[in-house]
Amino acid sequence: MRCAPFALWLMVAGTLAAESQVVGLPLTGEEAERFLHTAATVGRPRRFDAIAITEPVAVTLTDGSRTHRAIFKDVDERHMIFRFADGRVFTKVYDSYKHEIAAYELDALLGLDIVPPCVERKIRGQTGSLCLWVEDAMTEAPRMKKKIRPPDRVEWNAQMFTIRLFHQLIWDPDYNNTRNTLVDADFKLYKVDSSLSFRTDTKLRNEKALTQFSRRVLANLESLERHEVDARLGPWLETAQLDALWTRRARLLELAREQIALRGEDAVLSE
């Protein structure tokens, strides 16, 4: 990692102050990916969350004209037994930074726009995932504690059901952790921290939690081709993970059809 000279430090300080007004993601798509791949690192990474299991670190990046923050994670470990702090136990857990990138690639394929841009990069000699920071955001836990209510409840619920669908599609064992859902100042939701996801379970984690679906998301899920998934996620997932993901996709579509037949389109589908 390169340490910036004094002149660059001054420029970075000024840029960060100016960009502190950004809400949500400062960059998206290919522009964000290029920035994450090529921007110079400034200073030393710092651990920003003492609770996070995988010990991610915050990194400051600049390309000379823009300065943004990102999260770096280099975990790549397999556990025969994995215990969460709340007492839940899972077997055969694969905790990997590669899953962060796979989650972003899948999000892009489905056009969800809920997973921050994420690429593979080497930081201080370690290879891992580098994901763009969501600015001016908090996790769901403090939002609920402070009783901050979204102005548009219908839109909020639609976003939340899409988050739930994505959780089940990637089979995230940390499904109920409110720290993995961010909400920005504009009440847009984001799904973060997916390193434990993409288990090889073929059944959905909790079908009862899915009672509403976005028409657009279902259409994108339906039109998805297996070769597209393999091409985009193949570098980051193993064959068994890809197969299980594809099986869960089919069950999600089937579940939506079952809900519509039982309760009607108006009760099940949103825009």
Side-chain angles (χ1 to χ4, degrees):
M1 178 175 296
R2 297 187 295 258
C3 291
F6 182 67
L8 183 56
W9 272 108
L10 290 178
M11 178 179 64
V12 167
T15 306
L16 277 175
E19 293 179 352
S20 63
Q21 303 305 311
V22 173
V23 173
L25 293 172
L27 301 171
T28 58
E30 292 183 358
E31 183 181 17
E33 292 172 32
R34 283 195 300 272
F35 180 83
L36 289 169
H37 273 302
T38 62
T41 58
V42 179
R44 297 178 61 86
R46 66 188 187 283
R47 187 174 181 186
F48 73 101
D49 189 338
I51 299 177
I53 297 173
T54 51
E55 300 185 3
V57 294
V59 179
T60 299
L61 304 167
T62 185
D63 62 3
S65 60
R66 299 172 297 186
T67 301
H68 301 301
R69 293 180 289 179
I71 301 299
F72 179 75
K73 183 183 295 186
D74 62 1
V75 64
D76 192 33
E77 301 173 345
R78 297 178 189 270
H79 306 268
M80 287 303 298
I81 298 178
F82 191 93
R83 291 183 173 85
F84 285 96
D86 61 6
R88 289 176 300 132
V89 177
F90 286 86
T91 60
K92 297 181 180 179
V93 170
Y94 183 21
D95 188 4
S96 177
Y97 75 86
K98 298 175 184 178
H99 300 158
E100 302 285 3
I101 305 170
Y104 168 64
E105 294 290 353
L106 182 59
D107 171 280
L109 276 176
L110 293 173
L112 302 182
D113 192 30
I114 59 175
V115 178
C118 198
V119 303
E120 184 180 62
R121 183 163 170 182
K122 183 173 289 188
I123 302 289
R124 294 180 66 84
Q126 299 296 318
T127 299
S129 59
L130 188 62
C131 306
L132 200 59
W133 188 287
V134 181
E135 299 290 349
D136 199 11
M138 67 174 68
T139 65
E140 265 291 86
R143 182 196 70 82
M144 293 187 293
K145 184 176 182 179
K146 295 177 182 179
K147 298 182 179 180
I148 301 174
R149 295 180 173 83
D152 187 337
R153 196 70 190 181
V154 173
E155 169 61 22
W156 175 265
N157 288 340
Q159 288 190 77
M160 190 61 74
F161 274 108
T162 295
I163 290 278
R164 291 178 184 176
L165 181 146
F166 192 73
H167 268 286
Q168 301 222 36
L169 181 60
I170 66 175
W171 219 109
D172 188 346
D174 214 10
Y175 182 92
N176 293 321
N177 189 347
T178 57
R179 294 168 57 80
N180 294 343
T181 300
L182 298 182
V183 52
D184 69 21
D186 291 333
F187 291 93
K188 175 169 171 42
L189 291 170
Y190 299 87
K191 164 70 174 87
V192 297
D193 197 0
S194 301
S195 67
L196 291 167
S197 302
F198 295 101
R199 289 176 59 83
T200 55
D201 302 64
T202 55
K203 294 183 178 180
L204 299 179
R205 188 179 184 282
N206 181 12
E207 292 191 358
K208 293 181 180 179
L210 293 173
T211 58
Q212 184 176 322
F213 301 84
S214 160
R215 294 177 186 271
R216 181 182 62 84
V217 172
L218 285 180
N220 290 347
L221 199 61
E222 181 75 60
S223 63
L224 199 61
E225 299 285 348
R226 176 62 191 261
H227 68 87
E228 295 176 314
V229 173
D230 289 352
R232 293 284 290 271
L233 278 65
W236 315 112
L237 300 181
E238 298 171 351
T239 300
Q241 292 176 299
L242 292 167
D243 290 343
L245 170 65
W246 196 248
T247 300
R248 293 192 298 269
R249 164 196 171 271
R251 178 53 190 155
L252 280 169
L253 292 170
E254 183 181 48
L255 180 61
R257 289 191 289 267
E258 290 173 357
Q259 288 284 334
I260 292 170
L262 181 66
R263 299 162 51 220
E265 286 193 6
D266 290 345
V268 175
L269 299 180
S270 64
E271 298 304 319

